[in-house]
C-alpha cells in the first residue's frame, strides 16, 4: 500500500521563527490533507490540497503531486502552533473508499 | 469546532469489559470513518460506513464492530477489552465516500483499559 513519510520527526523553534514541514508519499494521490493535533488531542483540519498552493493566515501548503510531496510552511510561529502536524492521503484501493493513510507526524514545539 | 461530535470524551474501564463509542457526523455528511490512535501504531483506519452500509475495513480486530444507523450516527463497539486497546478513538465524516472528499474529525474518545 501507499507509504507516507514526514520530516523532520521533531522540531523546536523560537517564537517568531519560520519552518517547513515535508510529507512524501510513495504513489500518486488524488487528495492530501494536513492536520494539526493540539496538546489536547484534537485533530484540526489545516488544508485540503491535492495539488497547487493554498494559504491561510500564517500557514501555507504546497502539493506537487507529480513529484509526490507536499510542504507545510509556518511563518512567524507562535506558542499556540505547538503540537503534532500530520499529513494524510487516501488509498487507491478498488472501491469508492476514503480511507486515509497518515504519516507519523512532525512534533513541533515553539518556545516563547 | 468541526461539527462532528463524539461521546464520551473519556472512558476508563477494566480488561474484559465492553464499551460503546458514539459519533454524530456533520450535518449533510453521509460517510463516517473510525480511526484509532495509539502510541506505538500512530493513526490507523478502522472502518468506514457510507449511508448505512459498510464501505471499507482496515485493521479492525474481530472483537470490534461498528454500525451506522438510519439517522447516520455511528457506534463503535469494543468488547473483551485488553490493555493494548487503550487509545484515542476518532470519528470522522465526509460528504461522499471516496478519496476526493475532505474528512473532518471529531474531538475523540480517550479509552483507558486498566
Amino acid at each position: 500500500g501507499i507509504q507516507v513519510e514526514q520530516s523532520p520527526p521533531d522540531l523546536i523553534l523560537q517564537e517568531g521563527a519560520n519552518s517547513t514541514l515535508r510529507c512524501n508519499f510513495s504513489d500518486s494521490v488524488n487528495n492530501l490533507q494536513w492536520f494539526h493535533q493540539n496538546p489536547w488531542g484534537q485533530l484540526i483540519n489545516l488544508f485540503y490540497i491535492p495539488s497547487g498552493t493554498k494559504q491561510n493566515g500564517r500557514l501555507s501548503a504546497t502539493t506537487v503531486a507529480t513529484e509526490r510531496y507536499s510542504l507545510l510552511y509556518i511563518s512567524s510561529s507562535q506558542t499556540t502552533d505547538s503540537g503534532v502536524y500530520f499529513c494524510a492521503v487516501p488509498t487507491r484501493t478498488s472501491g469508492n473508499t476514503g480511507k486515509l493513510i497518515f504519516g507519523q507526524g512532525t512534533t513541533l514545539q515553539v518556545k516563547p | 469546532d468541526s461539527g462532528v461530535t463524539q461521546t464520551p470524551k473519556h472512558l476508563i474501564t477494566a480488561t474484559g469489559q465492553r464499551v460503546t463509542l458514539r459519533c454524530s457526523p456533520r450535518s449533510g455528511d453521509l460517510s463516517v470513518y473510525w480511526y484509532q490512535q495509539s502510541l506505538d501504531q500512530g493513526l490507523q483506519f478502522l472502518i468506514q460506513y457510507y449511508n448505512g452500509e459498510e464501505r471499507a475495513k482496515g485493521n479492525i480486530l474481530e472483537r470490534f464492530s461498528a454500525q451506522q444507523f438510519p439517522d447516520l450516527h455511528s457506534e463503535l463497539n469494543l468488547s473483551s477489552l485488553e490493555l493494548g486497546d487503550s487509545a484515542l478513538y476518532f470519528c470522522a465524516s465526509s460528504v461522499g465516500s471516496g478519496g476526493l472528499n475532505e474528512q473532518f474529525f471529531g474531538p475523540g474518545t480517550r479509552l483507558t483499559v486498566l
Side-chain angles (χ1 to χ4, degrees), chain A residues 31 33 37 45 48 96-98, chain B residues 37 48 97-100 102-103:
Chain A
N31 178 13
Q33 291 189 243
Q37 187 167 35
N45 287 43
Y48 167 83
N96 194 14
T97 170
Chain B
Q37 186 178 31
Q48 176 193 0
S97 66
L100 287 174
E102 186 174 5
Q103 291 182 33

Side-chain angles (χ1 to χ4, degrees), chain A residues 54-86:
Chain A
K54 288 187 177 180
Q55 179 145 14
N56 185 2
R58 297 180 295 103
L59 272 58
S60 65
T62 295
T63 296
V64 185
T66 52
E67 297 187 22
R68 300 182 186 172
Y69 73 88
S70 183
L71 302 174
L72 178 68
Y73 305 95
I74 304 175
S75 64
S76 305
S77 57
Q78 300 176 357
T79 55
T80 50
D81 295 331
S82 296
V84 185
Y85 289 81
F86 291 100

Side-chain angles (χ1 to χ4, degrees), chain A residues 30-33 35 37 39-48 50 84 86 90-91 93 95-104, chain B residues 1-2 33 35 37 39-45 48 55-59 88 90 97-107 110:
Chain A
N30 57 11
N31 178 13
L32 186 140
Q33 291 189 243
F35 299 91
Q37 187 167 35
W40 295 270
Q42 278 187 298
L43 271 174
I44 298 161
N45 287 43
L46 296 178
F47 293 101
Y48 167 83
V84 185
F86 291 100
T91 58
T93 54
N96 194 14
T97 170
K99 168 186 175 180
L100 287 178
I101 304 297
F102 282 80
Q104 288 301 104
Chain B
D1 185 352
S2 67
Y33 310 79
Y35 293 86
Q37 186 178 31
L39 281 174
D40 53 344
Q41 297 289 330
L43 266 157
Q44 290 210 312
F45 169 80
Q48 176 193 0
R55 183 55 62 100
K57 243 179 179 176
N59 297 326
L88 192 48
F90 286 105
S97 66
L100 287 174
N101 294 275
E102 186 174 5
Q103 291 182 33
F104 294 87
F105 282 71
R110 190 173 294 278

